[in-house]
Amino acid sequence: MKASRQNPLVLTAVAAALLLAFGPAMAQDDSVAQLTTPQSSIDVGAAYVSKDNQRFGQYTGLTDKGGYGIVDFSLNKRDDSTGTWFKLQGRNLGFKDPDLRLEQKRQGDWGYYINYSRIPRYEPYTINTGLQGIGTTSQTVVPITPGTGTDYQINTKRDRWTIGLQKALNPGWDVKVRYRNEEKDGSQLFSQGRFGAYPRFLTRPIDYTMQQVDVMADYGTDRLQMRVGYYGTMFDDHNTTLEASPAVSTSYFGLTSLPPDNQSHQFYVTGGYNFTEETRGAFKVSYARATQDDSWGIAPPAGVTQTSLNGRVDTTLVQGGVSGRATRKLSWRADVRYENRDDKTPMVVNASLDPYTQRSFERTTGKLVGHYSLPKGFRLTGDITYDQKKREVPEATVVDFRERVNEATYRVELRRAVSQSVTGAVSVLHSKRDGSDWLDNLLEPSSTYTVIAPLNIADRDRKSARLAVNRMPTDPLSLNFRVDESR
């Protein structure tokens, strides 16, 4: 009897020892098995809305009182011999915002996916109106006694298709391509009026196509990580103008322009380079062109030969930075950024039109930052920031103007962690802004009064002191307190 009582204790001790020795490995095997073993599921449910509520169902379509069915599923299959996965997933089937995704991939080699989703939006208001032609480009305003018109619940929906491809190319290249096509239609709230007239209610007809193309080629070695890419967008509005009647020239426009077709194309190279274990650089170079040459819906005024805006803006961006650690206590970072937005839209000057003013803009910024660790947990930070902006000089201004604005800011900060959850910092800043010579008010150069120049380009000398305290009692909660004194 004595021996029989000891046997269970001996077996339990052995089991506990085995669990302590091999438990982590067994848990790791389970997690690996979950990643390599396909699991499929299907969920079926129902929802009930107690009363009509357009706000509640604004983006889901659950706007009407009643019951709704819903189905979610995930079908997964894996070919163990090749490591190829096949996945078919569905979400919110039965609602008005379904999502379907088909995916197949061989990890580290190739993959593709096809995704469909619908995004509805219901206006949270019920419209009672006599307006005729809602949803079309020709609408007629019919005056009614309030409340005697027809009720409408207008909405829009976006049907979005996305296709993605991925392929690994040796040595070190990984290519990804994504194409998205989005069709949006429906109506939105709209109003029209001018010269102090009461606005009249209309609806804006929505019927357009948006396309996006994203091509990326990634390359990586121990020292160099780089991405070369192209990003393009195309917007095609199938409606050009909205015609509303009756048209009263002194109060309302009979014809209103709708968003015009446009497109943009951007090429870029971005990445980083490890010079040493302590020094790393980052860079980005991009060139983009945005155009808008959709034809006008009406004939241009006399003397204007253009049939469209012929809008074009070219944007060049060059930026780079280097960061490193000089000693165990001293770290530093230097950044520079240059952006040139060149507006090449042709000027149109006509006696009956306001001139189009080109909006070219050029900006250069640079920053140098240093951090030094002091005894007793203090850290000293100093940085210098330089910012130069150059703007296109308008043909005419109602205030004085200057072409170039420079601003330099110097900052010194002393920071210390008071405890594991509380950090305090004291900062002193000094910034000085000046620029090129002022250009006089071109509209009223002989004005007897002085027009205040735009404050954002005026000379300025600012001194500031700042006290900041941050407390994080728990991981999801952070409390910040800051006091600034500036002159």
Side-chain angles (χ1 to χ4, degrees):
M1 292 293 293
K2 184 176 181 180
S4 65
R5 290 179 181 177
Q6 290 178 343
N7 287 339
L9 296 177
V10 173
L11 293 175
T12 303
V14 172
L18 291 173
L19 182 60
L20 290 174
F22 300 103
M26 295 170 64
Q28 185 175 2
D29 291 341
D30 290 341
S31 61
V32 172
Q34 291 178 0
L35 295 175
T36 58
T37 303
Q39 296 181 351
S40 300
S41 65
I42 182 168
D43 299 322
V44 179
Y48 180 78
V49 179
S50 60
K51 61 176 64 177
D52 295 347
N53 192 329
Q54 290 172 250
R55 176 73 71 179
F56 173 77
Q58 189 171 4
Y59 295 99
T60 63
L62 302 179
T63 58
D64 299 329
K65 176 182 177 180
Y68 298 84
I70 182 172
V71 177
D72 293 347
F73 69 88
S74 178
L75 304 178
N76 301 293
K77 184 179 179 181
R78 184 176 187 271
D79 186 344
D80 294 333
S81 61
T82 61
T84 303
W85 281 86
F86 175 84
K87 298 181 180 181
L88 179 61
Q89 298 174 332
R91 185 177 63 85
N92 287 352
L93 305 185
F95 286 177
K96 295 183 180 180
D97 59 337
D99 188 283
L100 288 168
R101 181 182 177 93
L102 170 66
E103 180 179 1
Q104 189 175 18
K105 66 178 180 180
R106 182 179 298 174
Q107 189 170 356
D109 189 0
W110 57 266
Y112 71 88
Y113 70 88
I114 302 174
N115 195 100
Y116 166 77
S117 63
R118 169 170 288 183
I119 306 174
R121 184 187 183 279
Y122 290 80
E123 287 290 348
Y125 308 104
T126 298
I127 310 302
N128 184 274
T129 179
L131 181 67
Q132 298 178 3
I134 290 179
T136 70
T137 58
S138 180
Q139 301 177 21
T140 302
V141 177
V142 179
I144 62 169
T145 301
T148 62
T150 303
D151 287 344
Y152 292 94
Q153 295 181 349
I154 63 176
N155 64 85
T156 61
K157 69 176 181 355
R158 290 187 286 175
D159 289 317
R160 175 184 293 175
W161 287 91
T162 307
I163 300 175
L165 305 172
Q166 179 180 357
K167 175 62 179 175
L169 303 175
N170 293 324
W173 285 95
D174 187 39
V175 179
K176 299 177 182 178
V177 179
R178 188 187 71 169
Y179 170 76
R180 172 177 290 175
N181 184 84
E182 185 173 289
E183 303 281 347
K184 184 173 181 179
D185 59 66
S187 297
Q188 291 180 340
L189 300 180
F190 192 65
S191 64
Q192 185 188 77
R194 65 173 181 173
F195 301 135
Y198 290 106
R200 60 179 180 178
F201 171 75
L202 302 173
T203 62
R204 192 177 83 173
I206 303 295
D207 184 11
Y208 57 68
T209 302
M210 293 183 294
Q211 301 178 75
Q212 297 179 5
V213 180
D214 200 354
V215 181
M216 298 173 288
D218 296 331
Y219 177 78
T221 64
D222 292 340
R223 287 184 175 270
L224 176 65
Q225 302 82 43
M226 181 178 66
R227 169 174 289 181
V228 180
Y230 161 79
Y231 179 72
T233 65
M234 286 73 69
F235 175 83
D236 182 14
D237 194 342
H238 305 299
N239 297 325
T240 304
T241 57
L242 169 61
E243 184 176 7
S245 60
V248 182
S249 60
T250 58
S251 299
Y252 304 106
F253 294 97
L255 206 59
T256 300
S257 175
L258 296 175
D261 299 348
N262 59 81
Q263 56 183 323
S264 66
H265 306 275
Q266 181 189 56
F267 298 90
Y268 63 90
V269 180
T270 182
Y273 187 82
N274 299 321
F275 295 98
T276 66
E277 292 184 356
E278 302 292 342
T279 307
R280 175 173 173 78
F283 62 89
K284 180 176 182 179
V285 179
S286 70
Y287 172 79
R289 173 174 295 179
T291 59
Q292 194 274 91
D293 56 3
D294 194 12
S295 60
W296 291 326
I298 58 176
V304 177
T305 59
Q306 289 184 210
T307 58
S308 71
L309 176 66
N310 288 328
R312 173 180 164 183
V313 177
D314 296 343
T315 303
T316 303
L317 173 68
V318 180
Q319 67 181 44
V322 181
S323 61
R325 183 177 295 277
T327 66
R328 184 174 62 88
K329 294 185 176 182
L330 177 62
S331 61
W332 57 275
R333 187 180 81 249
D335 299 306
V336 63
R337 186 178 191 273
Y338 170 79
E339 181 182 4
N340 183 9
R341 188 176 65 203
D342 187 8
D343 190 346
K344 295 184 177 181
T345 304
M347 301 287 286
V348 177
V349 181
N350 182 269
S352 61
L353 294 175
D354 294 330
Y356 170 80
T357 302
Q358 291 176 323
R359 298 296 183 184
S360 295
F361 183 80
E362 186 176 335
R363 185 175 187 179
T364 305
T365 59
K367 189 170 186 176
L368 178 63
V369 185
H371 304 283
Y372 189 80
S373 298
L374 298 172
K376 298 184 179 181
F378 286 95
R379 188 179 72 166
L380 181 65
T381 299
D383 60 57
I384 302 173
T385 303
Y386 177 77
D387 189 353
Q388 181 186 86
K389 300 174 184 177
K390 293 180 65 177
R391 296 174 171 85
E392 186 85 8
V393 178
E395 287 289 317
T397 63
V398 295
V399 295
D400 293 346
F401 197 77
R402 68 194 329 175
E403 180 182 16
R404 177 175 48 82
V405 177
N406 309 316
E407 184 165 6
T409 303
Y410 308 87
R411 181 177 71 100
V412 177
E413 178 187 87
L414 184 64
R415 178 179 294 269
R416 185 177 186 273
V418 181
S419 66
Q420 291 184 350
S421 60
V422 180
T423 302
V426 178
S427 307
V428 177
L429 301 89
H430 178 217
S431 62
K432 185 176 181 62
R433 184 170 66 196
D434 54 24
S436 58
D437 294 337
W438 288 93
L439 305 176
D440 293 334
N441 178 354
L442 300 180
L443 289 183
E444 300 183 44
S446 60
S447 175
T448 57
Y449 60 88
T450 301
V451 181
I452 298 177
L455 293 179
N456 65 306
I457 63 176
D459 291 347
R460 183 181 67 182
D461 193 353
R462 171 182 288 179
K463 299 178 178 65
S464 302
R466 176 179 300 163
L467 172 64
V469 178
N470 175 270
R471 184 172 186 270
M472 185 178 293
T474 61
D475 288 340
L477 176 62
S478 177
L479 303 176
N480 297 275
F481 174 78
R482 197 178 93 176
V483 176
D484 286 83
E485 171 68 20
S486 300
R487 296 184 184 275

PDB file of all heavy atoms in Angstrom, residues 39-64:
ATOM      1  N   GLN A  39      -6.850  26.205 -41.801  1.00  0.00           N
ATOM      2  CA  GLN A  39      -8.078  26.124 -41.028  1.00  0.00           C
ATOM      3  C   GLN A  39      -9.147  26.967 -41.715  1.00  0.00           C
ATOM      4  O   GLN A  39      -8.897  28.111 -42.077  1.00  0.00           O
ATOM      5  CB  GLN A  39      -7.865  26.619 -39.596  1.00  0.00           C
ATOM      6  CG  GLN A  39      -6.898  25.775 -38.785  1.00  0.00           C
ATOM      7  CD  GLN A  39      -6.739  26.275 -37.367  1.00  0.00           C
ATOM      8  OE1 GLN A  39      -7.217  27.357 -37.027  1.00  0.00           O
ATOM      9  NE2 GLN A  39      -6.073  25.492 -36.536  1.00  0.00           N
ATOM     10  N   SER A  40     -10.308  26.410 -41.906  1.00  0.00           N
ATOM     11  CA  SER A  40     -11.418  27.113 -42.564  1.00  0.00           C
ATOM     12  C   SER A  40     -12.551  27.303 -41.571  1.00  0.00           C
ATOM     13  O   SER A  40     -12.679  26.560 -40.594  1.00  0.00           O
ATOM     14  CB  SER A  40     -11.911  26.320 -43.777  1.00  0.00           C
ATOM     15  OG  SER A  40     -10.862  26.140 -44.723  1.00  0.00           O
ATOM     16  N   SER A  41     -13.369  28.316 -41.830  1.00  0.00           N
ATOM     17  CA  SER A  41     -14.480  28.602 -40.925  1.00  0.00           C
ATOM     18  C   SER A  41     -15.593  29.290 -41.689  1.00  0.00           C
ATOM     19  O   SER A  41     -15.373  29.884 -42.746  1.00  0.00           O
ATOM     20  CB  SER A  41     -14.019  29.487 -39.758  1.00  0.00           C
ATOM     21  OG  SER A  41     -13.606  30.765 -40.237  1.00  0.00           O
ATOM     22  N   ILE A  42     -16.796  29.193 -41.136  1.00  0.00           N
ATOM     23  CA  ILE A  42     -17.949  29.904 -41.671  1.00  0.00           C
ATOM     24  C   ILE A  42     -18.825  30.343 -40.510  1.00  0.00           C
ATOM     25  O   ILE A  42     -19.062  29.565 -39.583  1.00  0.00           O
ATOM     26  CB  ILE A  42     -18.749  29.030 -42.660  1.00  0.00           C
ATOM     27  CG1 ILE A  42     -19.919  29.821 -43.231  1.00  0.00           C
ATOM     28  CG2 ILE A  42     -19.200  27.734 -42.018  1.00  0.00           C
ATOM     29  CD1 ILE A  42     -20.585  29.140 -44.411  1.00  0.00           C
ATOM     30  N   ASP A  43     -19.217  31.610 -40.510  1.00  0.00           N
ATOM     31  CA  ASP A  43     -20.050  32.180 -39.459  1.00  0.00           C
ATOM     32  C   ASP A  43     -21.346  32.685 -40.088  1.00  0.00           C
ATOM     33  O   ASP A  43     -21.322  33.419 -41.075  1.00  0.00           O
ATOM     34  CB  ASP A  43     -19.340  33.335 -38.752  1.00  0.00           C
ATOM     35  CG  ASP A  43     -18.048  32.893 -38.078  1.00  0.00           C
ATOM     36  OD1 ASP A  43     -18.030  31.779 -37.532  1.00  0.00           O
ATOM     37  OD2 ASP A  43     -17.063  33.659 -38.104  1.00  0.00           O
ATOM     38  N   VAL A  44     -22.450  32.306 -39.495  1.00  0.00           N
ATOM     39  CA  VAL A  44     -23.764  32.734 -39.966  1.00  0.00           C
ATOM     40  C   VAL A  44     -24.470  33.424 -38.808  1.00  0.00           C
ATOM     41  O   VAL A  44     -24.486  32.907 -37.682  1.00  0.00           O
ATOM     42  CB  VAL A  44     -24.596  31.541 -40.467  1.00  0.00           C
ATOM     43  CG1 VAL A  44     -25.973  32.010 -40.930  1.00  0.00           C
ATOM     44  CG2 VAL A  44     -23.874  30.815 -41.592  1.00  0.00           C
ATOM     45  N   GLY A  45     -25.029  34.586 -39.061  1.00  0.00           N
ATOM     46  CA  GLY A  45     -25.698  35.311 -37.998  1.00  0.00           C
ATOM     47  C   GLY A  45     -26.840  36.156 -38.521  1.00  0.00           C
ATOM     48  O   GLY A  45     -27.154  36.154 -39.714  1.00  0.00           O
ATOM     49  N   ALA A  46     -27.480  36.862 -37.614  1.00  0.00           N
ATOM     50  CA  ALA A  46     -28.609  37.715 -37.970  1.00  0.00           C
ATOM     51  C   ALA A  46     -28.561  38.979 -37.127  1.00  0.00           C
ATOM     52  O   ALA A  46     -28.020  38.986 -36.017  1.00  0.00           O
ATOM     53  CB  ALA A  46     -29.929  36.989 -37.749  1.00  0.00           C
ATOM     54  N   ALA A  47     -29.079  40.063 -37.695  1.00  0.00           N
ATOM     55  CA  ALA A  47     -29.148  41.335 -36.985  1.00  0.00           C
ATOM     56  C   ALA A  47     -30.552  41.895 -37.133  1.00  0.00           C
ATOM     57  O   ALA A  47     -31.247  41.616 -38.124  1.00  0.00           O
ATOM     58  CB  ALA A  47     -28.124  42.315 -37.543  1.00  0.00           C
ATOM     59  N   TYR A  48     -30.951  42.669 -36.144  1.00  0.00           N
ATOM     60  CA  TYR A  48     -32.287  43.281 -36.186  1.00  0.00           C
ATOM     61  C   TYR A  48     -32.169  44.743 -35.789  1.00  0.00           C
ATOM     62  O   TYR A  48     -31.556  45.089 -34.766  1.00  0.00           O
ATOM     63  CB  TYR A  48     -33.245  42.571 -35.237  1.00  0.00           C
ATOM     64  CG  TYR A  48     -34.634  43.178 -35.248  1.00  0.00           C
ATOM     65  CD1 TYR A  48     -35.526  42.900 -36.275  1.00  0.00           C
ATOM     66  CD2 TYR A  48     -35.040  44.046 -34.237  1.00  0.00           C
ATOM     67  CE1 TYR A  48     -36.786  43.460 -36.302  1.00  0.00           C
ATOM     68  CE2 TYR A  48     -36.299  44.615 -34.255  1.00  0.00           C
ATOM     69  CZ  TYR A  48     -37.174  44.324 -35.285  1.00  0.00           C
ATOM     70  OH  TYR A  48     -38.411  44.892 -35.319  1.00  0.00           O
ATOM     71  N   VAL A  49     -32.718  45.633 -36.626  1.00  0.00           N
ATOM     72  CA  VAL A  49     -32.739  47.071 -36.358  1.00  0.00           C
ATOM     73  C   VAL A  49     -34.135  47.440 -35.884  1.00  0.00           C
ATOM     74  O   VAL A  49     -35.129  47.177 -36.579  1.00  0.00           O
ATOM     75  CB  VAL A  49     -32.357  47.869 -37.612  1.00  0.00           C
ATOM     76  CG1 VAL A  49     -32.404  49.369 -37.332  1.00  0.00           C
ATOM     77  CG2 VAL A  49     -30.968  47.466 -38.098  1.00  0.00           C
ATOM     78  N   SER A  50     -34.231  48.037 -34.699  1.00  0.00           N
ATOM     79  CA  SER A  50     -35.533  48.253 -34.060  1.00  0.00           C
ATOM     80  C   SER A  50     -36.339  49.368 -34.710  1.00  0.00           C
ATOM     81  O   SER A  50     -37.562  49.374 -34.633  1.00  0.00           O
ATOM     82  CB  SER A  50     -35.342  48.562 -32.573  1.00  0.00           C
ATOM     83  OG  SER A  50     -34.546  49.740 -32.399  1.00  0.00           O
ATOM     84  N   LYS A  51     -35.674  50.328 -35.362  1.00  0.00           N
ATOM     85  CA  LYS A  51     -36.411  51.411 -36.018  1.00  0.00           C
ATOM     86  C   LYS A  51     -35.552  51.994 -37.131  1.00  0.00           C
ATOM     87  O   LYS A  51     -34.332  51.816 -37.158  1.00  0.00           O
ATOM     88  CB  LYS A  51     -36.796  52.506 -35.024  1.00  0.00           C
ATOM     89  CG  LYS A  51     -35.617  53.188 -34.352  1.00  0.00           C
ATOM     90  CD  LYS A  51     -36.059  54.334 -33.441  1.00  0.00           C
ATOM     91  CE  LYS A  51     -36.885  53.829 -32.292  1.00  0.00           C
ATOM     92  NZ  LYS A  51     -37.267  54.919 -31.364  1.00  0.00           N
ATOM     93  N   ASP A  52     -36.205  52.703 -38.071  1.00  0.00           N
ATOM     94  CA  ASP A  52     -35.471  53.344 -39.158  1.00  0.00           C
ATOM     95  C   ASP A  52     -34.467  54.339 -38.580  1.00  0.00           C
ATOM     96  O   ASP A  52     -34.819  55.158 -37.718  1.00  0.00           O
ATOM     97  CB  ASP A  52     -36.435  54.078 -40.097  1.00  0.00           C
ATOM     98  CG  ASP A  52     -37.366  53.119 -40.820  1.00  0.00           C
ATOM     99  OD1 ASP A  52     -37.095  51.909 -40.786  1.00  0.00           O
ATOM    100  OD2 ASP A  52     -38.343  53.596 -41.421  1.00  0.00           O
ATOM    101  N   ASN A  53     -33.252  54.268 -39.053  1.00  0.00           N
ATOM    102  CA  ASN A  53     -32.205  55.138 -38.522  1.00  0.00           C
ATOM    103  C   ASN A  53     -31.098  55.274 -39.560  1.00  0.00           C
ATOM    104  O   ASN A  53     -30.225  54.416 -39.679  1.00  0.00           O
ATOM    105  CB  ASN A  53     -31.642  54.576 -37.215  1.00  0.00           C
ATOM    106  CG  ASN A  53     -30.770  55.586 -36.485  1.00  0.00           C
ATOM    107  OD1 ASN A  53     -30.116  56.426 -37.101  1.00  0.00           O
ATOM    108  ND2 ASN A  53     -30.762  55.499 -35.177  1.00  0.00           N
ATOM    109  N   GLN A  54     -31.133  56.362 -40.336  1.00  0.00           N
ATOM    110  CA  GLN A  54     -30.152  56.547 -41.383  1.00  0.00           C
ATOM    111  C   GLN A  54     -28.769  56.851 -40.826  1.00  0.00           C
ATOM    112  O   GLN A  54     -27.764  56.532 -41.443  1.00  0.00           O
ATOM    113  CB  GLN A  54     -30.606  57.667 -42.320  1.00  0.00           C
ATOM    114  CG  GLN A  54     -31.814  57.278 -43.159  1.00  0.00           C
ATOM    115  CD  GLN A  54     -32.359  58.451 -43.935  1.00  0.00           C
ATOM    116  OE1 GLN A  54     -33.424  58.948 -43.637  1.00  0.00           O
ATOM    117  NE2 GLN A  54     -31.619  58.898 -44.922  1.00  0.00           N
ATOM    118  N   ARG A  55     -28.700  57.476 -39.660  1.00  0.00           N
ATOM    119  CA  ARG A  55     -27.392  57.758 -39.070  1.00  0.00           C
ATOM    120  C   ARG A  55     -26.712  56.467 -38.634  1.00  0.00           C
ATOM    121  O   ARG A  55     -25.515  56.275 -38.844  1.00  0.00           O
ATOM    122  CB  ARG A  55     -27.555  58.697 -37.865  1.00  0.00           C
ATOM    123  CG  ARG A  55     -26.286  58.978 -37.111  1.00  0.00           C
ATOM    124  CD  ARG A  55     -25.372  59.892 -37.879  1.00  0.00           C
ATOM    125  NE  ARG A  55     -25.887  61.255 -37.925  1.00  0.00           N
ATOM    126  CZ  ARG A  55     -25.257  62.259 -38.528  1.00  0.00           C
ATOM    127  NH1 ARG A  55     -24.100  62.038 -39.142  1.00  0.00           N
ATOM    128  NH2 ARG A  55     -25.798  63.475 -38.530  1.00  0.00           N
ATOM    129  N   PHE A  56     -27.470  55.540 -38.047  1.00  0.00           N
ATOM    130  CA  PHE A  56     -26.912  54.272 -37.573  1.00  0.00           C
ATOM    131  C   PHE A  56     -26.343  53.465 -38.740  1.00  0.00           C
ATOM    132  O   PHE A  56     -25.284  52.849 -38.626  1.00  0.00           O
ATOM    133  CB  PHE A  56     -27.983  53.471 -36.837  1.00  0.00           C
ATOM    134  CG  PHE A  56     -27.555  52.090 -36.453  1.00  0.00           C
ATOM    135  CD1 PHE A  56     -26.710  51.889 -35.370  1.00  0.00           C
ATOM    136  CD2 PHE A  56     -27.980  50.991 -37.186  1.00  0.00           C
ATOM    137  CE1 PHE A  56     -26.309  50.606 -35.022  1.00  0.00           C
ATOM    138  CE2 PHE A  56     -27.587  49.709 -36.842  1.00  0.00           C
ATOM    139  CZ  PHE A  56     -26.742  49.526 -35.754  1.00  0.00           C
ATOM    140  N   GLY A  57     -27.039  53.460 -39.859  1.00  0.00           N
ATOM    141  CA  GLY A  57     -26.598  52.649 -40.995  1.00  0.00           C
ATOM    142  C   GLY A  57     -25.948  53.447 -42.098  1.00  0.00           C
ATOM    143  O   GLY A  57     -25.991  53.043 -43.264  1.00  0.00           O
ATOM    144  N   GLN A  58     -25.335  54.572 -41.752  1.00  0.00           N
ATOM    145  CA  GLN A  58     -24.801  55.486 -42.757  1.00  0.00           C
ATOM    146  C   GLN A  58     -23.785  54.804 -43.681  1.00  0.00           C
ATOM    147  O   GLN A  58     -23.752  55.069 -44.877  1.00  0.00           O
ATOM    148  CB  GLN A  58     -24.157  56.697 -42.075  1.00  0.00           C
ATOM    149  CG  GLN A  58     -23.758  57.799 -43.036  1.00  0.00           C
ATOM    150  CD  GLN A  58     -23.328  59.064 -42.303  1.00  0.00           C
ATOM    151  OE1 GLN A  58     -23.253  59.091 -41.087  1.00  0.00           O
ATOM    152  NE2 GLN A  58     -23.029  60.105 -43.052  1.00  0.00           N
ATOM    153  N   TYR A  59     -22.939  53.934 -43.146  1.00  0.00           N
ATOM    154  CA  TYR A  59     -21.899  53.303 -43.955  1.00  0.00           C
ATOM    155  C   TYR A  59     -22.072  51.788 -44.077  1.00  0.00           C
ATOM    156  O   TYR A  59     -21.197  51.115 -44.614  1.00  0.00           O
ATOM    157  CB  TYR A  59     -20.519  53.607 -43.370  1.00  0.00           C
ATOM    158  CG  TYR A  59     -20.158  55.072 -43.428  1.00  0.00           C
ATOM    159  CD1 TYR A  59     -20.300  55.890 -42.324  1.00  0.00           C
ATOM    160  CD2 TYR A  59     -19.701  55.648 -44.616  1.00  0.00           C
ATOM    161  CE1 TYR A  59     -19.983  57.243 -42.375  1.00  0.00           C
ATOM    162  CE2 TYR A  59     -19.382  56.997 -44.681  1.00  0.00           C
ATOM    163  CZ  TYR A  59     -19.529  57.784 -43.556  1.00  0.00           C
ATOM    164  OH  TYR A  59     -19.215  59.122 -43.610  1.00  0.00           O
ATOM    165  N   THR A  60     -23.166  51.243 -43.567  1.00  0.00           N
ATOM    166  CA  THR A  60     -23.405  49.806 -43.661  1.00  0.00           C
ATOM    167  C   THR A  60     -24.676  49.468 -44.415  1.00  0.00           C
ATOM    168  O   THR A  60     -24.852  48.324 -44.831  1.00  0.00           O
ATOM    169  CB  THR A  60     -23.482  49.182 -42.251  1.00  0.00           C
ATOM    170  OG1 THR A  60     -24.605  49.754 -41.549  1.00  0.00           O
ATOM    171  CG2 THR A  60     -22.200  49.427 -41.477  1.00  0.00           C
ATOM    172  N   GLY A  61     -25.595  50.415 -44.565  1.00  0.00           N
ATOM    173  CA  GLY A  61     -26.864  50.144 -45.219  1.00  0.00           C
ATOM    174  C   GLY A  61     -27.942  49.659 -44.280  1.00  0.00           C
ATOM    175  O   GLY A  61     -29.059  49.376 -44.714  1.00  0.00           O
ATOM    176  N   LEU A  62     -27.655  49.580 -42.975  1.00  0.00           N
ATOM    177  CA  LEU A  62     -28.664  49.158 -41.999  1.00  0.00           C
ATOM    178  C   LEU A  62     -29.516  50.365 -41.613  1.00  0.00           C
ATOM    179  O   LEU A  62     -29.507  50.823 -40.475  1.00  0.00           O
ATOM    180  CB  LEU A  62     -27.996  48.545 -40.771  1.00  0.00           C
ATOM    181  CG  LEU A  62     -27.085  47.343 -41.023  1.00  0.00           C
ATOM    182  CD1 LEU A  62     -26.474  46.859 -39.721  1.00  0.00           C
ATOM    183  CD2 LEU A  62     -27.859  46.224 -41.700  1.00  0.00           C
ATOM    184  N   THR A  63     -30.250  50.890 -42.571  1.00  0.00           N
ATOM    185  CA  THR A  63     -31.001  52.122 -42.357  1.00  0.00           C
ATOM    186  C   THR A  63     -32.481  51.875 -42.069  1.00  0.00           C
ATOM    187  O   THR A  63     -33.138  52.722 -41.472  1.00  0.00           O
ATOM    188  CB  THR A  63     -30.878  53.020 -43.590  1.00  0.00           C
ATOM    189  OG1 THR A  63     -31.361  52.300 -44.739  1.00  0.00           O
ATOM    190  CG2 THR A  63     -29.437  53.429 -43.829  1.00  0.00           C
ATOM    191  N   ASP A  64     -33.012  50.736 -42.498  1.00  0.00           N
ATOM    192  CA  ASP A  64     -34.445  50.476 -42.366  1.00  0.00           C
ATOM    193  C   ASP A  64     -34.712  49.491 -41.235  1.00  0.00           C
ATOM    194  O   ASP A  64     -33.912  48.581 -40.963  1.00  0.00           O
ATOM    195  CB  ASP A  64     -35.010  49.914 -43.678  1.00  0.00           C
ATOM    196  CG  ASP A  64     -34.849  50.892 -44.826  1.00  0.00           C
ATOM    197  OD1 ASP A  64     -34.882  52.106 -44.557  1.00  0.00           O
ATOM    198  OD2 ASP A  64     -34.673  50.439 -45.969  1.00  0.00           O
TER     199      ASP A  64
END
